[in-house]
Each structure stands twice: as structure tokens, then as C-alpha cells.
Amino acid sequence: GSSSASLALHQRGYEPIATMLSLLILDAAAFLGTAAPRFTHPPSHRAANVRLAASAPSEELRSWLMAEAGVAPQFVDRVIETCDREMIGNLNGLRIARDAGLLPGFFPAVVALGIEEGLGRITAPSVAVAAAQVSAVVQELADEADAAALAPGASLECDPYHAIAANLPLNTYKNKAPLAGAIISAKRIVGPAAPGEVCHIRIGTGDKFRYWEGQSLGVIPPGVNAKTGKPNAVRLYSIASTRYGDDAKGSSVSLCVRRALYWDADTGAHDPAKKGVCSNFLCDSSPGDEVHLTGPTGKVMLMPEHEPATDLIMLATGTGIA
């Protein structure tokens, strides 16, 4: 299992983590007196593993001696024989012999010096770098999961991309059978000195409410009309989000709503009897509050694909910021 973990880290390019894992296992094996596990890696990482993995078998040790310690090919067998005689089977054994000052007694001076210099080039893995790489791995996996979760479904696209009219959803939900959504958030988006209040309203709809940019939806505020005694009528609002929703999951819709208030100049105060029923309901809503939606309505404005040079005149309605 440890070998598999080291291999996975090498494959992702996180050498310090993999090296640290290998060395920790080797140190534990040396302490317990057990055989160190052999780490197998793909050829693309073989050279790095020969230099770094202290569990390298004799063939890898032979390669390391020639590549890093400068032992000539015609003499490497004699050096390996010395390693076998002194029971040095890997780089960890050479490192222990070096730390104990035994290399000059085992090998000729030139070979001992080459081994010391080769071992000196093996950089100890940095704990800080390894920790940063662990965080990177965790974030990478989280990003991959998020990307999969946020990927919009095929139902949100047209093929070809401009074939909107044929795929435009219209009046999916009507006044007598509205969709029951839920408020995700209602936040004021203008400063304290602004003339009036505009709120950004996010409504969770699941994957049932499909719409296109430029359409509107209806909101049926709770309660009854004080004059007629009948349920409040639907109010239309321009949709402020793209068809993917603010969270890009395609499961919400957003509105920019200006709170409608009536200022009575005679009394010098707002008249609560004349305030907007639906806008105040939305601006005062809390996460989880149920809201009944109708629509979507409206045939969106389509760009003239066949005449790209056509002049366009655009007028903003509603809050003007949706």
C-alpha cells in the first residue's frame, strides 16, 4: 500500500512527498530490523528513484554508482562486491556508512569521495514543500469534484448554439400550477445613501425550472388582495442570472428587485398600505422561505446571425441592472 501511495504521488509529479514517504518507510524498516519494501515506478521516474529511494536493489545501486558517484563501468562490479561483503544493499546503507565515517575503510579513496559527493547531492525532502503539495493534491481533487458537480447538463445548451427559438422554454409553470422554489439569499446590493433599495434575490429551483437569458418569470406573493379578498396576483420580473444560475449548477434563478415604497408627503412617512406587496416580500425574505414561480415568459431577443453588421438598439427596463 505504501508503495502504491508513493507511485501515485510520483505520477502526479509530487516528488518531495513521495520521497519523504519512501524515506520514512525505510527508516522505520531499519529501526525494526525488517526488510525494506521495494518501490517500483514507471521508467520515466526510474532515474529519480535510483537517486532518491534508499530501497534501490543492487542493479539500481549499480546504476547510481556509475551515474552519481562517478564509478567507471569497468570497476563498478568490484564496488558492488564490496557493498555485498559489507551488507550494503542500497543507498540507505551507503548513507549509514558515510555517517559513521566508514566509507574510506570500505572503498578506495576516489570511490569513497565520489560516493560521499553523490550522497551529498540527494536533497532531503522539505516538510514545508511536502505539506504544500499535500494541500495542492487535496485542492486538485476538490476542484475535479466541483468541476464535475458544476458541469451544466445538455439540457442547458442548443445545437447549434444559436438555435434558441426552437428550444426556448415558455410558460412551463402557470398561475394555477406554479413551481415551489426556496429562497437561497436576499441581499441589498446598493449603498446606504442610494435612493431606494435594490436586492439581489437567489431562488433555488432544482433542475425543473429551465429558462434562457432575456426571459422573465412570475412570482406569486403569499396572502390575499385586501381590496378583492382573492389571492395575490402574479408579478413579473426580469431574470438577472444566466441559464446556469449564479452557482453555475443550473439549479437556481436570480432577480434584482427594487423595493417599492410609497412616500406620503403629507405625513412625511412611508405609507405601508401602499407599499409593493411582492417586492417587499422578496426583499424581506429569508433563506428557506418558499416562493411560488411561474413562467418563464418572453421570447428572447435573438442576434441576427446572418447579418452580423446589423445595428442594435437596447433598452433597459426594471431596475436597469439585471
Side-chain angles (χ1 to χ4, degrees):
S2 300
S3 179
S4 299
S6 178
L7 174 58
L9 290 166
H10 274 293
Q11 289 175 333
R12 285 182 174 267
Y14 297 108
E15 296 294 342
I17 305 178
T19 303
M20 182 172 290
L21 176 62
S22 301
L23 293 179
L24 286 173
I25 296 169
L26 292 163
D27 288 343
F31 177 77
L32 296 173
T34 59
R38 176 174 178 172
F39 294 84
T40 57
H41 303 294
S44 61
H45 295 291
R46 185 65 52 80
N49 294 337
V50 167
R51 293 193 300 273
L52 296 174
S55 59
S58 59
E59 287 305 315
E60 293 184 344
L61 181 58
R62 179 191 304 272
S63 299
W64 183 88
L65 287 169
M66 291 187 291
E68 301 294 336
V71 177
Q74 63 268 33
F75 300 127
V76 70
D77 286 339
R78 294 170 60 182
V79 176
I80 289 294
E81 290 176 1
T82 301
C83 289
D84 290 342
R85 184 178 65 250
E86 301 299 336
M87 295 185 290
I88 299 174
N90 51 46
L91 294 185
N92 194 47
L94 287 176
R95 184 178 60 176
I96 294 173
R98 178 202 61 184
D99 295 344
L102 299 176
L103 290 180
F106 292 159
F107 307 100
V110 173
V111 175
L113 181 60
I115 292 174
E116 287 188 10
E117 290 181 351
L119 292 173
R121 286 191 292 271
I122 299 178
T123 304
S126 166
V127 173
V129 171
Q133 290 183 347
V134 169
S135 297
V137 171
V138 173
Q139 186 60 52
E140 180 181 338
L141 295 176
D143 290 343
E144 290 173 359
D146 288 344
L150 296 179
S155 60
L156 300 179
E157 301 294 342
C158 289
D159 187 17
Y161 73 93
H162 55 78
I164 300 174
N167 296 276
L168 194 65
L170 285 172
N171 297 313
T172 308
Y173 297 94
K174 299 178 172 56
N175 295 7
K176 293 184 178 180
L179 172 68
I183 297 293
I184 297 175
S185 62
K187 298 180 180 179
R188 179 187 175 102
I189 56 174
V190 293
E197 180 180 11
V198 178
C199 294
H200 185 80
I201 314 295
R202 289 182 58 208
I203 304 171
T205 59
D207 60 357
K208 300 177 181 179
F209 194 83
R210 292 288 176 247
Y211 56 91
W212 211 265
E213 292 86 347
Q215 289 189 290
S216 301
L217 60 75
V219 177
I220 303 176
V224 297
N225 187 307
K227 295 181 179 179
T228 65
K230 296 180 179 181
N232 284 319
V234 64
R235 270 73 164 179
L236 290 178
Y237 292 93
S238 297
I239 295 175
S241 54
T242 70
R243 59 188 178 278
Y244 309 111
D246 288 349
D247 55 6
K249 294 181 179 179
S251 60
S252 67
V253 62
S254 297
L255 308 174
C256 288
V257 178
R258 181 184 175 93
R259 186 192 294 271
L261 298 173
Y262 179 80
W263 179 262
D264 190 328
D266 294 333
T267 62
H270 289 111
D271 185 348
K274 297 180 180 179
K275 70 178 182 179
V277 174
C278 195
S279 65
N280 281 272
F281 159 68
L282 291 172
C283 292
D284 291 335
S285 62
S286 300
D289 288 353
E290 187 175 74
V291 54
H292 290 165
L293 305 177
T294 66
T297 63
K299 294 184 178 180
V300 299
M301 174 181 164
L302 303 180
M303 299 296 180
E305 296 287 339
H306 59 290
E307 296 182 8
T310 301
D311 293 332
L312 304 176
I313 299 177
M314 299 183 183
L315 305 176
T317 60
T319 61
I321 62 175

